[in-house]
Amino acid sequence: MTTEASLHERKEKMRAIRDEIIALTQSPLYAYRVKNSALPVIGEGSHAAKIMCIGEAPGLNEAKTGRPFVGAAGKFLNELLEGISVKREDVYITNIVKDRPPENRDPTPQEIELYGPFLDRQIDIIQPRVIVTLGRFSMNYIMQKFGLDFDIEPISKAHGKTYTATASFGELKILPLYHPAVALYNGSMRDVLKKDFEVVKKFL
Ligand code: URA
């Protein structure tokens, strides 16, 4: 059960993460953030969420607003959540990399290594029952984090499957999905993502 006191503690821990990321001058993305008056994107949603959705890195709209998944891909993520009758505010949504890479390029291994520990701490704070990874970077990071390296397959094979992992706070399920952005330029992917998302319902 999540008590008021533990929710307060979670909020404080999340705030500490935010402050550290704001001051992360050693990040290769820090100068770009400042030059473009962009914001880091820490994450948003319920600190008692059962579901945690983890994307790759903020895009333009996210860096403008400081909120994850608010652009076109985010609208589709909202649709996916609606499709399984889950409110966006009841989920915790974040990314591995917390600052926008220039021109939305893929995050580098160094960036993933630098920002990954913040995500690790967020997972420990939220203690989700299900982690939905959005895209291959997130899938690879989470599978490796939970020692499932040998189970890693290309996302074309892994999407919609469920993996069981053991976290410090208990057992959780990992559900790799395609990144919602792929549905924006490939209409048939919309249905694949919707179908894969249905699996989440089993664990609520
Ligand atoms: N794509 C991501 O991976 N994360 C966001 O927050 C937005 C788009």
Side-chain angles (χ1 to χ4, degrees):
M1 209 186 74
T2 324
T3 61
E4 277 299 311
S6 79
L7 275 176
H8 179 75
E9 194 185 323
R10 289 176 188 204
K11 197 169 169 181
E12 289 304 312
K13 285 183 177 168
M14 211 54 101
R15 198 170 274 166
I17 291 174
R18 181 199 62 191
D19 291 348
E20 285 174 50
I21 293 173
I22 288 174
L24 200 64
T25 50
Q26 73 268 38
S27 168
L29 300 174
Y30 182 85
Y32 183 74
R33 182 213 292 170
V34 172
K35 183 163 163 257
N36 292 282
S37 308
L39 296 169
V41 178
I42 313 304
E44 71 176 16
S46 165
H47 291 166
K50 291 189 187 128
I51 306 170
M52 205 164 162
C53 295
I54 303 174
E56 186 173 307
L60 177 64
N61 291 298
E62 288 76 24
K64 259 190 202 159
T65 56
R67 298 179 55 211
F69 283 97
V70 290
K75 289 214 173 77
F76 185 49
L77 177 60
N78 292 347
E79 263 184 55
L80 293 170
L81 290 166
E82 266 170 38
I84 57 163
S85 305
V86 169
K87 291 197 195 103
R88 180 173 160 126
E89 60 265 34
D90 290 338
V91 174
Y92 193 83
I93 304 175
T94 189
N95 291 296
I96 315 176
V97 170
K98 313 297 191 192
D99 279 297
R100 181 185 178 218
E103 313 306 327
N104 297 342
R105 63 153 172 74
D106 289 345
T108 64
Q110 290 83 349
E111 287 158 5
I112 291 173
E113 198 179 318
L114 179 68
Y115 288 94
F118 294 108
L119 175 62
D120 296 345
R121 282 161 62 188
Q122 288 178 306
I123 293 170
D124 285 340
I125 292 169
I126 307 283
Q127 306 186 4
R129 229 183 261 172
V130 185
I131 292 182
V132 178
T133 61
L134 303 169
R136 66 195 161 94
F137 286 96
S138 172
M139 173 185 79
N140 288 338
Y141 182 82
I142 293 295
M143 297 280 286
Q144 278 169 15
K145 169 180 167 57
F146 287 106
L148 298 168
D149 313 52
F150 292 115
D151 294 314
I152 296 178
E153 295 180 289
I155 194 149
S156 55
K157 286 234 170 85
H159 75 92
K161 289 188 186 171
T162 309
Y163 301 83
T164 303
T166 309
S168 56
F169 49 85
E171 192 184 279
L172 59 79
K173 300 291 178 190
I174 299 168
L175 176 62
L177 255 63
Y178 281 113
H179 194 288
V182 300
L184 304 178
Y185 44 85
N186 181 343
S188 62
M189 280 293 185
R190 291 178 71 85
D191 293 336
V192 174
L193 266 149
K194 281 186 179 164
K195 186 166 166 277
D196 288 350
F197 223 78
E198 292 277 317
V199 179
V200 179
K201 281 203 293 200
K202 278 206 305 207
F203 305 109
L204 299 182

